Amino acid sequence: MTLIIDCHGHYTTAPPAHDAWRSTQRVAFDAGLPFLPYPAISDDEIRESVEANQLRLLRERGADMTIFSPRASAMAHHIGDEAVSQAWTIACNDLIKRVVDLYPETFIGACMLPQSPGVPIAHSVAELERCVTELGFVGCNLNPDPSGGHFTAPPLTDKSWYPLYEKMVELDVPTMVHVSGSCNPAFHATGAYYIAADTTAFMQFIQGDLFRDFPTLRFIIPHGGGAVPYHWGRYRGLADMLQQPPLGGHVMKNVYFDTCVYHQPGIDLLFEVIDIENILFGSEMVGAVRGIDPMTGHYFDDTKRYVEAADLTPEQRHSVFEGNARRVYPRLDAQLKGRGI
Ligand SMILES: [Zn+2]
């Protein structure tokens, strides 16, 4: 039996009071006033917000569990200052913990980080540690561009990111590379910015030597790895031109792609080009593309259908749905083993 683990789910349907508090936080920051207290949100409000959405879709599609993180587009690390980002991050991660506590068999937490443009990433380490050691989360989302679309941060291979990587290695948690909302009108958030950032992160890993310094560090590049699988020959060729080692040892022992690609030919290409050990099932549900594909009659983001229709052996399909996630997220594996799964 295979457990179907979706490595990429966001709480995009949080109760309105949560987002309303965020709005008041922004107003307070602009006015130089203290933040209002975080509102009381009942368990019933949380149940209502997931049962009609993520839980319903998981059940309809036949998935078992989701690695669940705060809504990515709302992380908005470019808003306010470090104190704003810290308070918002704690509120968002605590809300994820409440969902996990209400549905422990279905949801497992991954945290956002309290990043801000120009603020050292070391200031995010304490929240990662809190979420992993106190809240039981198994991974985190790292924003490579806290500026919200201006790419002012150094590449992910820069030593300024190392304090976070050192803590990730110590805690044995992976991170998903995930930008947030775009405040650059040239970038549509989910259509352009996300995919561009995914592709950019991969190229940074080719140019650098990050995994020589951190041989056990693990990144998930979501949205099927951006444009990377489609342009795999370009990246292999660039690695060669830049006199870097072949990608298999240089990058792909540490980098994984999810299956958030919303059509069958794209998924087929992903499986043809990328080793099966590097692909994790994900749907980013409820997320970027919520409609029904008129060509198939099914939701665009019902990625389980594409994986099931792909030309894979049962062993390969098991790796994508369960095995790879348990390997990349050892704390998830440990929690499942603790439950006898
Ligand atoms: Zn996402």
Side-chain angles (χ1 to χ4, degrees), residues 12-70:
T12 45
T13 58
H18 177 71
D19 291 325
W21 182 74
R22 172 65 158 172
S23 299
T24 67
Q25 192 200 27
R26 295 174 67 164
V27 171
F29 174 76
D30 289 342
L33 298 169
F35 308 142
L36 294 175
Y38 188 76
I41 294 175
S42 70
D43 285 353
D44 280 347
E45 285 174 89
I46 293 174
R47 284 193 192 97
E48 197 180 317
S49 72
V50 292
E51 285 190 7
N53 297 295
Q54 291 86 355
L55 268 179
R56 174 179 64 83
L57 290 168
L58 280 167
R59 285 171 186 150
E60 283 177 10
R61 297 176 186 183
D64 295 301
M65 66 184 308
T66 297
I67 299 175
F68 205 48
S69 62

Side-chain angles (χ1 to χ4, degrees), residues 251-285:
V251 177
M252 297 309 284
K253 285 189 168 22
N254 305 78
V255 171
Y256 304 84
F257 298 156
D258 72 14
T259 63
C260 296
V261 177
Y262 295 158
H263 67 150
Q264 191 69 47
I267 286 284
D268 292 343
L269 179 137
L270 177 69
F271 285 126
E272 187 176 339
V273 171
I274 302 299
D275 285 349
I276 205 80
E277 293 74 22
N278 293 82
I279 302 172
L280 276 62
F281 173 62
S283 68
E284 195 172 23
M285 178 272 289

Side-chain angles (χ1 to χ4, degrees), residues 15 49 55 60 66 72 86 88 93 103 107 112 118 126 159 169 186 199 223 253 262 266 291 295 307 334:
S49 72
L55 268 179
E60 283 177 10
T66 297
Q86 289 275 355
W88 174 235
N93 290 333
Y103 303 97
F107 295 104
M112 63 180 271
K159 285 192 161 55
V169 167
T199 311
H223 322 111
K253 285 189 168 22
Y262 295 158
M295 291 174 68
V307 176

Side-chain angles (χ1 to χ4, degrees), residues 8-10 69 72 141 176 178 194 222-223 284:
H8 190 170
H10 296 297
S69 62
N141 292 339
M176 183 172 279
H178 211 310
Y194 281 20
H223 322 111
E284 195 172 23

Side-chain angles (χ1 to χ4, degrees), residues 105-167:
E105 291 178 2
T106 307
F107 295 104
I108 194 153
C111 62
M112 63 180 271
L113 297 170
Q115 300 175 247
S116 289
V119 173
I121 196 67
H123 297 200
S124 293
V125 166
E127 178 62 4
L128 174 67
E129 188 154 37
R130 180 183 82 95
C131 289
V132 173
T133 62
E134 295 177 27
L135 307 187
F137 289 13
V138 298
C140 61
N141 292 339
L142 173 62
N143 186 347
D145 175 29
S147 75
H150 298 287
F151 285 101
T152 54
L156 290 170
T157 50
D158 188 84
K159 285 192 161 55
S160 59
W161 297 100
Y162 278 24
L164 179 73
Y165 300 157
E166 285 160 5
K167 184 55 72 175

